[in-house]
Amino acid sequence: MEATVTTANSEEKTWGGGNEPMRASYGKMMMWFFIVSDALTFSGFLAAYGFSRFKFIETWPLADEVFTHFPFLHGVTAPMYYVALMTFILIFSSVTMVLAVDAGHQMKKNKVILYMFLTIIGGLIFVGSQAWEWKNFIQGEYGAIETKGGSLLQFVDKDGKRVALADFAAHLPEERAQLSRSKATWFMEEADLPSFSIAEVQAGFKAHPDLLIRTEVLTEKKQKTVLSRAESEERLAQAAYVVEGANLERNEYGSKLFADFFFFITGFHGFHVFSGVIINIIIFFNVLLGTYEKRKSYEMVEKVGLYWHFVDLVWVFVFTVFYLV
């Protein structure tokens, strides 16, 4: 006995015509699924950052004291100015993407080319700005001392202004060999040697009686605690490491977790932006070649636009939680 199978509306595709969920194509639905799953990932990262900051709130670095650099303005303190400029550029690139999608709906190829080009330029500027910010964060500016107990000690003058190690550290006639496997030093390796040794910092501090030590602990007025001269000398005697800049082990800004979250969250977002720029470039060349003009649809521009708006929106939350709060 043979069975006969009939299909109603055989002319319609499985995902097309009148049975499209919410009138969205398969490609746009899959993009929305990706956006929702990625949003949950970023939410987990930001939630972990929030819990960690709350746990170590008394020693958490102040963003206004960390992100103070601005290109071509060496020595000028501009807290959060460049981060705000980066945010504006990324949001503006989202506006140009909207205009590109709208031009695609109207089948205006030249306008799509113009607005996608502006979006790509905005994305490249943002990624380059993040790389520049990472460089300054890793390099550091002032330096600090980490004690045997893990506390961080920063140096200030009598007016409370930060003082860099290079401004007061002494230069002692001492040599120190870096531990490395090639020298068979107990098969040990260590990071690059700091510019100054602990002895040089201690000698320089002793020779400058106007210097004081500021701890990473915040007061009720959200200012770092400044010790007296006697307390400063006592704490400096417990020095264990000279810290310059930041890495995944320690940083000169404060809590070690601060640098870990900075590298992970901003790096993960930066990877998304960079990926978006690459995809935009591919779509841009397809527009130039007239691929979507022949298809009589610029839906691909709309799909990549959804992704671009997502990474812009995520940065708004990262900027708010990581830099402003």
Side-chain angles (χ1 to χ4, degrees):
M1 182 177 179
E2 296 182 357
T4 303
V5 178
T6 60
T7 303
N9 299 326
S10 58
E11 295 181 357
E12 294 184 0
K13 298 179 180 178
T14 304
W15 198 292
N19 62 352
E20 290 183 345
M22 296 180 289
R23 297 183 179 180
S25 66
Y26 178 81
K28 282 200 286 187
M29 284 297 294
M30 292 303 101
M31 179 58 74
W32 276 112
F33 286 154
F34 169 77
I35 287 174
V36 171
S37 63
D38 214 25
L40 293 175
T41 303
F42 273 105
S43 298
F45 293 157
L46 293 177
Y49 171 83
F51 281 120
S52 298
R53 178 171 180 173
F54 180 77
K55 180 177 178 62
F56 301 101
I57 188 65
E58 293 183 351
T59 60
W60 206 256
L62 300 175
D64 287 345
E65 295 184 354
V66 178
F67 308 103
T68 60
H69 301 84
F70 202 94
F72 311 113
L73 295 178
H74 181 70
V76 177
T77 302
M80 304 297 293
Y81 283 21
Y82 194 60
V83 179
L85 178 61
M86 289 168 49
T87 303
F88 172 78
I89 292 173
L90 193 62
I91 292 176
F92 185 77
S93 71
S94 193
V95 174
T96 56
M97 178 57 79
V98 169
L99 295 175
V101 172
D102 182 66
H105 289 162
Q106 301 177 38
M107 300 299 293
K108 296 180 178 179
K109 176 182 175 181
N110 291 335
K111 285 191 174 181
V112 175
I113 293 173
L114 172 63
Y115 292 129
M116 285 211 67
F117 178 76
L118 294 176
T119 302
I120 292 170
I121 294 300
L124 289 174
I125 293 175
F126 181 84
V127 172
S129 298
Q130 272 203 325
W132 183 82
E133 187 182 48
W134 269 45
K135 185 264 295 183
N136 288 301
F137 187 80
I138 294 172
Q139 182 178 347
E141 183 177 3
Y142 296 100
I145 290 292
E146 184 176 318
T147 66
K148 298 176 182 178
S151 300
L152 198 72
L153 307 179
Q154 300 170 340
F155 299 89
V156 296
D157 59 18
K158 59 182 180 180
D159 297 323
K161 295 181 179 180
R162 290 286 302 275
V163 178
L165 299 181
D167 294 336
F168 70 89
H171 295 278
L172 302 179
E174 60 178 3
E175 294 184 2
R176 182 188 169 198
Q178 184 170 354
L179 300 180
S180 64
R181 294 178 183 269
S182 61
K183 297 178 181 179
T185 313
W186 295 100
F187 299 99
M188 296 175 63
E189 287 186 337
E190 62 180 350
D192 294 338
L193 294 177
S195 303
F196 306 97
S197 66
I198 294 177
E200 289 176 327
V201 174
Q202 291 174 333
F205 183 81
K206 185 177 181 180
H208 293 77
D210 56 330
L211 290 181
L212 297 173
I213 282 181
R214 187 180 75 170
T215 68
E216 57 186 342
V217 180
L218 295 175
T219 63
E220 295 180 355
K221 296 181 179 180
K222 293 186 177 181
Q223 296 178 345
K224 299 294 181 67
T225 303
V226 178
L227 304 178
S228 65
R229 180 67 185 187
E231 292 173 329
S232 298
E233 292 176 349
E234 182 180 352
R235 293 295 295 275
L236 188 57
Q238 303 173 8
Y241 302 99
V242 175
V243 184
E244 294 178 308
N247 50 49
L248 294 177
E249 294 184 5
R250 52 181 58 91
N251 68 84
E252 68 173 53
Y253 309 105
S255 176
K256 299 177 181 179
L257 284 176
F258 178 80
D260 296 340
F261 277 112
F262 174 80
F263 289 128
F264 196 79
I265 294 178
T266 62
F268 192 60
H269 178 266
F271 172 76
H272 278 70
V273 177
F274 179 75
S275 301
V277 170
I278 298 300
I279 297 171
N280 276 332
I281 290 175
I282 295 173
I283 302 302
F284 174 75
F285 280 107
N286 283 336
V287 174
L288 286 176
L289 294 173
T291 302
Y292 309 122
E293 195 77 16
K294 296 176 183 177
R295 295 180 184 177
K296 299 186 183 301
S297 173
Y298 282 86
E299 183 180 309
M300 190 62 70
V301 177
E302 185 175 355
K303 285 187 284 190
V304 75
L306 289 174
Y307 176 80
W308 194 254
H309 297 322
F310 167 70
V311 296
D312 288 5
L313 181 61
V314 167
W315 178 253
V316 172
F317 283 97
V318 172
F319 176 72
T320 302
V321 174
F322 202 95
Y323 293 91
L324 294 184
V325 176

